[in-house]
Amino acid sequence: MSSIKVTVWNEFQHEKNNERVKAIYPEGIHATIASFLNAEEGITAQTAVLDEPEHGLTEAVLQETDVLIWWGHVAHEDVADEIVERVRQRVLEGMGLIVLHSGHASKIFRALMGTNTGSLKWRDDGEKERVWVIESAHPIAAGLGEYFEIPKEEMYGERFEIPAPDELVFISWFEGGEVFRSGCCYKRGLGKVFYFRPGHETFPVYHQAEVQRVIMNGVRWAVKGEGAKATYGRVAPLEPVR
Amino acid sequence: MSSIKVTVWNEFQHEKNNERVKAIYPEGIHATIASFLNAEEGITAQTAVLDEPEHGLTEAVLQETDVLIWWGHVAHEDVADEIVERVRQRVLEGMGLIVLHSGHASKIFRALMGTNTGSLKWRDDGEKERVWVIESAHPIAAGLGEYFEIPKEEMYGERFEIPAPDELVFISWFEGGEVFRSGCCYKRGLGKVFYFRPGHETFPVYHQAEVQRVIMNGVRWAVKGEGAKATYGRVAPLEPVR
Amino acid sequence: MSSIKVTVWNEFQHEKNNERVKAIYPEGIHATIASFLNAEEGITAQTAVLDEPEHGLTEAVLQETDVLIWWGHVAHEDVADEIVERVRQRVLEGMGLIVLHSGHASKIFRALMGTNTGSLKWRDDGEKERVWVIESAHPIAAGLGEYFEIPKEEMYGERFEIPAPDELVFISWFEGGEVFRSGCCYKRGLGKVFYFRPGHETFPVYHQAEVQRVIMNGVRWAVKGEGAKATYGRVAPLEPVR
Amino acid sequence: MSSIKVTVWNEFQHEKNNERVKAIYPEGIHATIASFLNAEEGITAQTAVLDEPEHGLTEAVLQETDVLIWWGHVAHEDVADEIVERVRQRVLEGMGLIVLHSGHASKIFRALMGTNTGSLKWRDDGEKERVWVIESAHPIAAGLGEYFEIPKEEMYGERFEIPAPDELVFISWFEGGEVFRSGCCYKRGLGKVFYFRPGHETFPVYHQAEVQRVIMNGVRWAVKGEGAKATYGRVAPLEPVR
């Protein structure tokens, strides 16, 4: 089996403007994620960022991408609608999509879900998060224990305005008293979508082994397999019509 | 309990331009649907059409609407994006939405589902459709037998590019050899969405008792109940954070 | 509409043997639940307990029951298999079933779910539980805030070995660090099943207003409506077979 | 990756008693299925039948089985309850299970689903079945076209009393006018269950390439992956409880 081609997209703004974030991700969150993915056998990751032409998401790049990872936060509205629609069509054709953390409010996640996925509770006080595995046999949970902890994280709390996930893999407990559906799987068209909650830019979340493991698992899960053929439009009858 | 307020929306084009359709629905499909709904106790139906200002779907109209019924076909692209977004937000706030037949390709259904819901197979040869009840206890199936037949209908065939429905109430058998998920229930935000397949404009489908019964059932099902309060945004912790 | 007929079943053991429980529920948990239900307009509740002939669940009683509520803990294995099967068949015919707290390990819940629903984590230290509403528009959440707290409760923690619920209404946060899917809706046959977590016998949980509200909501939700007819077995073809 | 170990279980009655069936499956349905599976790279299939001690499903056999395939019809009630429970526990621990055709009424499928899965419509007139792919990207549909036809089959018609499948992969159209959910995926415990409709003993269904392909796909899909650890029972708090 040939290598899985991943494109890690990042708006790449905080890392240039905020010293605290720069200290954690000197080359950007995308570089950190691409780096641990490239260390994995059978995965080849490249990156793309907002400031590139077409945000680095040309037709050619997307056609060569098996799984796209999305991180955005302050610049959601700067992503061109045309590019969002291009990405959406590629997902419906079978490209996997992993939406991370504040990407919940991105145009692409909103477009694929149909709801106001920006609606949730939040608090960036750096509290403890404990991510519980709900579906122990799910491939996205492979290699984890029953839970893992993130020592300091931004809290996201329910209600989160998403369609009920096809599969709910993780639920988070927060020190401050909230819960959150932190690992949500969807099928849309021929593509798979995985929303994974952790990853605030001011904490070193993507340097943590369990978080890396989940993203690697998510990549493998999101790749489209062979499937069946589907066609659409006007068709002749297969049986005699009286 | 006060009356359920329904707005029946129709693009209202075929009935003005096509003699065959005019003969079946002289005042428009919307008028026929509103008429049988108004004959029902506890339902008050009004209508709105594409050519009215704001397509008849002003903020005031939508605020007063418990359930919106949508029929469109040739003029999907003439519906203003702003109005589509307004309707979408009302659904997410709790307004019920019933999408009929060729409304599968409408902007509002595509926006709420996130997929290319226009993608399916079709053939308008006027063949027999048999609509089978899959979830016998579902309120949308109330009063039906195990199936009902539509003597002449347009065929829609799978694959239909929708997210897997939260509840699949009907599956259709077609004389020409296809099957279709004909009654699909979704929850989106605080609102309920019901897609119901039958209703080609050249056949008297909305004059048929079983079809009327399903639409009436759908209206009652789609009304939002009391529910719980939900708020979003930054919140203080409920428990001490170290 | 006539009154909803509820039967509240309780094994009724702790309340006779344990002074602490007796002090909270002097006439039994079943009596407390039946009492607040009977105070509700449109609901008529009776009780049944393990020590009655046929555990109080005769064919006649079940035929007259719209919704059965189940509380059991130490005596699950004392419930006769024949009665469990009788209850299961009535649920499949349309009787609603609400399974409370330690009823998760009852024979009837195991039989209807097919999994080892006794498998979960627990700790009866009397810690704080915060029950979060996940589906704000669900009728079972009617009248609640975004969450409610139970000051002292037994903890149940994931993983809980249940089939993924058709609708997940509540997720609980526990002081000791766990989460739990606390409100789970299922359809089985023509019947509806609602699992609701709170209710340890050593704490006055069923005297709390929010818990009572959820149970009342659950009763209204679980009642079977009209539905469609379903028949089974050998049938003649509806179309000519060559 | 090591070979997937499959056990093909068959009641093996018709093939001994009915000349017509014997002509199609001289060594039994199980032998035919094991044979095409063994021709597949990475799959090793053995067989087991009702008349063997413990029906050939000893603890040792089940511990060494990744995926169990089940065909039964006239002898469901001859399968010992103890063996059914043993199989059920292995499924909950992660063994895959593929239930074929009349296995819908088997004790093991009824036990895992919780409903009267024997309830459906049927007619063994040897009519045409057209199996439509609903989820084109699903691995169980890999390599298929949009549909495949079985020239002569027993009809199964809705309503089929199953819990709504986690994933609905196939819907069948029948010449005589019925429809059926023919490919249904479930997760139960750590195991996966796939119900696949085709396979009446008097027609050469398991000699057909598309049917073989689906069963091979089902085997690959049903194998448990690595997953996460899960434990149950009394636990100490992870956070201080006041």
Side-chain angles (χ1 to χ4, degrees):
Chain A
M1 182 175 152
S2 63
S3 198
I4 300 170
K5 290 173 205 145
V6 178
T7 300
V8 185
W9 191 90
N10 181 11
E11 60 176 38
F12 195 29
Q13 304 290 310
H14 294 298
E15 300 94 328
K16 292 187 284 193
N17 305 328
N18 179 321
E19 289 304 317
R20 192 172 157 202
V21 180
K22 201 182 297 184
I24 301 171
Y25 300 112
E27 295 174 79
I29 283 175
H30 54 296
T32 297
I33 293 175
S35 172
F36 70 71
L37 289 175
N38 276 316
E40 192 72 2
E41 198 176 355
I43 300 181
T44 306
Q46 60 180 358
T47 63
V49 299
L50 182 70
D51 291 344
E52 293 175 46
E54 304 184 42
H55 311 322
L57 299 172
T58 61
E59 282 283 5
V61 163
L62 291 177
Q63 285 304 327
E64 287 296 306
T65 298
D66 295 315
V67 180
L68 177 67
I69 297 180
W70 194 275
W71 199 100
H73 185 207
V74 288
H76 291 320
E77 299 313 309
D78 297 336
V79 180
D81 289 344
E82 182 196 342
I83 306 298
V84 172
E85 179 59 16
R86 185 188 291 168
V87 171
R88 193 175 75 90
Q89 290 303 333
R90 269 293 290 146
V91 170
L92 299 177
E93 286 166 26
M95 181 181 72
L97 177 68
I98 300 180
V99 176
L100 296 173
H101 190 61
S102 44
H104 73 86
S106 64
K107 286 184 176 179
I108 182 61
F109 194 53
R110 280 150 47 197
L112 280 162
M113 296 294 108
T115 60
N116 295 326
T117 57
S119 296
L120 49 67
K121 293 188 182 60
W122 60 276
R123 178 175 61 241
D124 54 355
D125 290 3
E127 66 202 84
K128 188 193 291 184
E129 172 176 12
R130 185 175 290 109
V131 182
W132 285 93
V133 177
I134 303 304
E135 292 296 343
S136 310
H138 200 283
I140 287 182
L144 299 178
E146 303 190 279
Y147 63 83
F148 63 92
E149 295 180 0
I150 302 176
K152 288 191 177 304
E153 249 289 21
E154 182 182 22
M155 181 283 294
Y156 282 179
E158 296 280 348
R159 167 166 165 84
F160 180 23
E161 197 191 284
I162 46 172
D166 295 336
E167 299 174 304
L168 176 59
V169 183
F170 303 122
I171 296 175
S172 288
W173 176 100
F174 286 95
E175 196 179 354
E178 289 87 0
V179 295
F180 197 75
R181 288 170 290 176
S182 282
C184 298
C185 296
Y186 297 92
K187 290 186 290 182
R188 288 296 181 269
L190 305 180
K192 287 171 161 183
V193 179
F194 175 50
Y195 175 75
F196 184 46
R197 199 213 76 80
H200 198 55
E201 69 274 6
T202 59
F203 306 110
V205 175
Y206 296 120
H207 293 292
Q208 188 172 332
E210 296 97 331
V211 171
Q212 294 184 357
R213 180 70 200 252
V214 170
I215 293 172
M216 292 186 297
N217 289 343
V219 163
R220 295 190 193 284
W221 169 84
V223 176
K224 187 183 176 302
E226 182 181 1
K229 179 183 131 183
T231 64
Y232 304 105
R234 181 160 204 154
V235 291
L238 298 160
E239 302 288 332
V241 170
R242 277 149 290 190
Chain B
M1 181 174 151
S2 64
S3 199
I4 299 170
K5 289 173 204 145
V6 178
T7 300
V8 185
W9 191 90
N10 181 11
E11 60 176 38
F12 196 28
Q13 305 290 311
H14 293 298
E15 301 95 327
K16 291 187 285 193
N17 305 328
N18 179 321
E19 289 304 318
R20 192 170 156 205
V21 181
K22 201 183 296 185
I24 302 170
Y25 300 111
E27 295 173 77
I29 283 174
H30 53 295
T32 297
I33 294 176
S35 172
F36 70 70
L37 289 175
N38 276 317
E40 192 72 359
E41 199 177 354
I43 299 181
T44 305
Q46 61 180 355
T47 63
V49 299
L50 182 71
D51 291 345
E52 294 176 46
E54 305 184 41
H55 312 322
L57 300 172
T58 61
E59 283 283 5
V61 163
L62 291 178
Q63 285 304 326
E64 287 295 306
T65 298
D66 296 313
V67 180
L68 177 65
I69 296 179
W70 195 276
W71 199 99
H73 184 208
V74 288
H76 291 320
E77 299 313 309
D78 298 337
V79 180
D81 289 344
E82 181 195 342
I83 306 299
V84 172
E85 180 58 17
R86 185 189 288 167
V87 171
R88 193 175 75 90
Q89 290 304 331
R90 269 293 290 147
V91 170
L92 299 177
E93 286 166 25
M95 181 180 73
L97 176 69
I98 299 179
V99 175
L100 295 173
H101 191 62
S102 43
H104 74 85
S106 63
K107 286 183 175 179
I108 182 62
F109 194 53
R110 281 148 49 196
L112 280 163
M113 296 294 108
T115 60
N116 294 327
T117 57
S119 295
L120 48 69
K121 293 188 181 59
W122 60 276
R123 178 175 62 241
D124 54 353
D125 291 2
E127 66 203 84
K128 188 193 290 186
E129 173 177 11
R130 185 176 291 108
V131 182
W132 284 94
V133 177
I134 303 304
E135 292 295 343
S136 310
H138 199 284
I140 286 181
L144 299 178
E146 301 189 279
Y147 64 84
F148 63 90
E149 294 180 1
I150 302 176
K152 288 191 177 303
E153 246 292 18
E154 183 182 22
M155 181 282 295
Y156 281 179
E158 297 280 349
R159 170 174 161 83
F160 179 24
E161 197 191 284
I162 46 171
D166 295 337
E167 298 174 306
L168 176 59
V169 184
F170 303 122
I171 295 176
S172 288
W173 177 99
F174 286 96
E175 196 179 352
E178 289 86 0
V179 295
F180 198 75
R181 289 170 290 176
S182 281
C184 299
C185 297
Y186 296 92
K187 290 186 291 181
R188 288 296 181 266
L190 303 181
K192 287 170 161 182
V193 179
F194 175 51
Y195 175 75
F196 184 46
R197 202 213 74 82
H200 199 55
E201 68 275 6
T202 59
F203 306 110
V205 176
Y206 297 121
H207 293 291
Q208 187 173 332
E210 295 97 331
V211 171
Q212 294 184 357
R213 180 68 201 252
V214 171
I215 294 172
M216 292 187 295
N217 289 343
V219 163
R220 295 190 192 286
W221 170 84
V223 177
K224 187 183 176 302
E226 180 181 4
K229 177 184 133 184
T231 65
Y232 303 106
R234 182 161 203 153
V235 290
L238 299 160
E239 302 288 331
V241 171
R242 279 150 289 188
Chain C
M1 181 173 150
S2 64
S3 200
I4 299 169
K5 291 173 203 143
V6 178
T7 300
V8 185
W9 191 89
N10 181 13
E11 59 176 38
F12 195 28
Q13 304 291 311
H14 293 296
E15 301 94 326
K16 292 186 283 194
N17 306 327
N18 179 321
E19 290 304 316
R20 192 171 156 204
V21 180
K22 200 183 297 185
I24 302 171
Y25 300 111
E27 296 173 78
I29 283 175
H30 53 295
T32 297
I33 293 176
S35 172
F36 70 69
L37 289 175
N38 277 316
E40 192 71 0
E41 199 176 355
I43 299 180
T44 306
Q46 61 180 357
T47 63
V49 300
L50 182 70
D51 291 344
E52 295 175 44
E54 305 184 41
H55 312 321
L57 299 173
T58 61
E59 281 284 6
V61 163
L62 290 178
Q63 285 304 325
E64 287 295 306
T65 299
D66 296 313
V67 181
L68 178 66
I69 296 179
W70 195 275
W71 199 100
H73 185 208
V74 289
H76 291 319
E77 298 314 308
D78 298 336
V79 179
D81 289 344
E82 180 196 341
I83 306 297
V84 172
E85 181 58 16
R86 184 188 291 167
V87 171
R88 193 176 74 89
Q89 290 303 333
R90 269 292 292 146
V91 170
L92 298 177
E93 287 167 25
M95 181 180 72
L97 176 68
I98 299 179
V99 175
L100 295 174
H101 190 62
S102 43
H104 73 87
S106 63
K107 285 183 176 180
I108 182 60
F109 194 53
R110 281 149 48 196
L112 280 163
M113 296 294 108
T115 60
N116 295 326
T117 56
S119 296
L120 48 69
K121 293 188 182 60
W122 59 277
R123 180 175 60 240
D124 54 353
D125 290 2
E127 66 202 84
K128 187 192 291 184
E129 174 178 9
R130 184 176 291 110
V131 182
W132 284 95
V133 177
I134 303 303
E135 293 295 342
S136 310
H138 200 283
I140 287 181
L144 300 178
E146 302 188 278
Y147 64 85
F148 63 91
E149 294 180 1
I150 302 176
K152 288 191 178 302
E153 247 291 17
E154 182 181 23
M155 181 282 296
Y156 281 0
E158 296 281 349
R159 168 173 163 80
F160 179 24
E161 198 190 283
I162 47 171
D166 295 336
E167 299 175 306
L168 176 58
V169 183
F170 303 122
I171 295 175
S172 287
W173 176 101
F174 287 95
E175 196 179 352
E178 289 87 0
V179 296
F180 198 76
R181 288 171 289 176
S182 281
C184 298
C185 297
Y186 296 92
K187 289 184 292 182
R188 288 297 181 267
L190 304 181
K192 287 170 161 182
V193 179
F194 175 51
Y195 175 74
F196 185 46
R197 202 213 73 83
H200 199 56
E201 68 274 6
T202 58
F203 306 109
V205 175
Y206 298 121
H207 293 291
Q208 186 173 332
E210 294 97 332
V211 171
Q212 295 185 357
R213 179 68 200 253
V214 170
I215 293 172
M216 292 187 296
N217 290 342
V219 164
R220 295 191 191 285
W221 169 84
V223 178
K224 188 182 176 302
E226 181 181 2
K229 178 184 134 184
T231 65
Y232 302 105
R234 181 161 203 154
V235 290
L238 298 160
E239 303 288 330
V241 170
R242 278 150 289 186
Chain D
M1 183 174 149
S2 62
S3 199
I4 299 169
K5 290 172 205 145
V6 177
T7 300
V8 184
W9 190 90
N10 181 12
E11 60 176 37
F12 196 28
Q13 304 291 312
H14 293 298
E15 300 95 327
K16 292 187 285 192
N17 306 328
N18 180 320
E19 289 303 317
R20 191 170 157 203
V21 180
K22 201 182 297 184
I24 302 171
Y25 301 110
E27 295 175 78
I29 282 175
H30 53 295
T32 297
I33 293 175
S35 172
F36 70 70
L37 289 176
N38 277 317
E40 192 72 1
E41 198 176 357
I43 300 181
T44 305
Q46 61 180 356
T47 64
V49 301
L50 182 70
D51 290 344
E52 294 175 46
E54 304 185 42
H55 312 323
L57 300 172
T58 61
E59 282 283 5
V61 163
L62 291 178
Q63 286 303 326
E64 287 295 307
T65 298
D66 296 314
V67 180
L68 177 66
I69 297 180
W70 195 277
W71 199 99
H73 185 207
V74 288
H76 291 320
E77 299 313 309
D78 298 335
V79 180
D81 289 344
E82 181 196 343
I83 306 298
V84 172
E85 180 59 15
R86 185 188 290 166
V87 171
R88 193 175 74 90
Q89 290 302 332
R90 269 293 290 146
V91 171
L92 299 177
E93 286 166 26
M95 181 181 72
L97 177 69
I98 300 180
V99 176
L100 294 174
H101 189 62
S102 43
H104 73 86
S106 63
K107 285 183 177 179
I108 182 60
F109 194 54
R110 279 150 49 198
L112 281 163
M113 296 294 107
T115 60
N116 295 326
T117 57
S119 296
L120 49 68
K121 293 187 181 61
W122 60 275
R123 178 176 60 241
D124 54 355
D125 291 1
E127 65 202 85
K128 187 191 291 183
E129 172 176 12
R130 185 175 291 110
V131 182
W132 285 93
V133 177
I134 303 304
E135 292 295 342
S136 310
H138 199 284
I140 287 182
L144 300 178
E146 302 189 279
Y147 64 84
F148 63 91
E149 293 180 1
I150 301 177
K152 288 193 178 301
E153 249 290 20
E154 181 182 23
M155 181 283 294
Y156 281 0
E158 297 280 350
R159 165 166 165 86
F160 180 23
E161 198 190 282
I162 47 171
D166 295 337
E167 298 174 306
L168 176 58
V169 184
F170 304 122
I171 296 175
S172 288
W173 176 100
F174 286 96
E175 196 179 352
E178 289 86 0
V179 296
F180 198 74
R181 288 169 291 176
S182 281
C184 299
C185 297
Y186 297 92
K187 290 185 291 182
R188 288 296 181 268
L190 303 181
K192 287 170 162 183
V193 179
F194 175 50
Y195 174 75
F196 185 46
R197 199 211 77 81
H200 198 55
E201 68 275 5
T202 58
F203 307 109
V205 175
Y206 297 121
H207 293 291
Q208 187 172 331
E210 296 97 330
V211 171
Q212 294 184 356
R213 179 70 200 251
V214 170
I215 294 172
M216 291 187 295
N217 290 342
V219 164
R220 295 190 193 286
W221 170 84
V223 177
K224 188 184 176 301
E226 182 181 1
K229 180 184 131 184
T231 65
Y232 304 105
R234 180 162 204 153
V235 291
L238 299 160
E239 303 287 331
V241 169
R242 277 149 289 193

